[in-house]
């Protein structure tokens, strides 16, 4: 029988995997494949559908990560008193990643949907370009976060 800590830890890792791995797949694989296989209208509609589905899982990850992370802090690290430096960095990077995700979800995605509804493909393409940059930066933050946790710098 796994300990409660192991259970919470597994949930935390799975949530991180879904969020960061999903961004990696979208940026590194789906984006170039869509550019080479689809024209602009089809590509924009594909991305609107992809975001609609993927962001449900990002919301799950965004909620599961702090709950399980804080749970682990209480179970193993004596609460918020003296978390290790890499956990402090994890929390800081989480806040930055959350802010970028919320920007895409609340501002840029509605903009993309409006452009698609009015068949304004140039405006949709410009919005998609901005989303691509934000998601690319968020992917870098996610990869940095996982590297920081793995390396556990002691400064
Ligand atoms: C409020 C947000 C978060 C809190 C409070 C938190 C807290 C924690 C804690 C306490 C651990 C256990 C550390 C250990 O066993 O030494 C941990 C592990 C981990 N966290 Fe987070 N975390 C948060 C967000 C994130 C995010 C956003 C990601 C990635 C997207 C992430 C990825 C990981 C990974 C990969 C580990 C495993 C580290 C290892 O065992 O080597 N965490 N987290």
């Amino acid at each position: 029988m796994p300990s409660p800590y192991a259970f919470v830890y597994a949930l935390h890792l799975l949530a991180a995997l879904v969020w960061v791995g999903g961004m990696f797949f979208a940026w590194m694989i789906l984006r170039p494949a869509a550019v080479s296989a689809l024209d602009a209208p089809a590509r924009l509609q594909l991305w609107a559908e992809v975001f609609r589905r993927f962001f449900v899982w990002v919301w799950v990850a965004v909620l599961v990560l702090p709950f399980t992370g804080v749970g682990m802090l209480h179970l193993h690290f004596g609460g918020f008193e003296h978390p290790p430096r890499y956990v402090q960095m994890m929390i800081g990077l989480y806040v930055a990643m959350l802010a970028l995700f919320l920007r895409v979800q609340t501002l840029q995605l509605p903009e993309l949907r409006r452009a698609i509804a009015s068949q304004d493909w140039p405006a949709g393409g410009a919005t998609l370009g901005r989303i691509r940059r934000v998601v690319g930066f968020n992917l870098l933050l996610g990869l940095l976060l996982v590297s920081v946790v793995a390396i556990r710098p002691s400064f």
Side-chain angles (χ1 to χ4, degrees):
M1 188 68 184
S3 67
Y5 184 86
F7 181 71
V8 172
Y9 182 81
L11 275 180
H12 194 80
L13 283 189
L14 288 171
L17 197 75
V18 166
W19 190 3
V20 181
M23 288 194 292
F24 184 89
F25 174 76
W27 223 90
M28 302 298 288
I29 314 293
L30 190 55
R31 187 184 57 84
V35 168
S36 74
L38 300 174
D39 57 13
R43 198 164 65 236
L44 294 172
Q45 288 170 60
L46 169 78
W47 279 112
E49 288 297 310
V50 166
F51 290 136
R52 188 167 66 79
R53 288 172 171 79
F54 178 49
F55 282 10
V56 172
W57 290 101
V58 177
W59 274 110
V60 173
V62 151
L63 295 173
V64 165
L65 282 164
F67 271 109
T68 51
V70 170
M72 284 190 285
L73 280 178
H74 285 292
L75 287 170
H76 221 253
F77 297 88
F80 275 105
E81 288 291 300
H82 301 291
R85 180 50 64 90
Y86 65 89
V87 172
Q88 294 173 13
M89 293 169 78
M90 185 156 36
I91 295 171
L93 286 167
Y94 167 80
V95 172
M97 289 177 69
L98 177 64
L100 291 179
F101 166 64
L102 290 177
R103 182 188 168 88
V104 177
Q105 168 77 83
T106 59
L107 298 176
Q108 295 175 319
L109 197 51
E111 212 175 295
L112 180 66
R113 290 209 188 99
R114 276 197 299 277
I116 292 172
S118 57
Q119 302 199 347
D120 187 348
W121 309 125
T127 305
L128 188 60
R130 285 194 291 278
I131 294 177
R132 176 175 58 84
R133 276 197 297 278
V134 175
V135 174
F137 191 62
N138 227 8
L139 171 60
L140 286 178
L141 288 183
L143 295 174
L144 174 71
L145 189 159
V146 174
S147 310
V148 163
V149 183
I151 294 166
R152 300 184 182 201
S154 54
F155 49 78

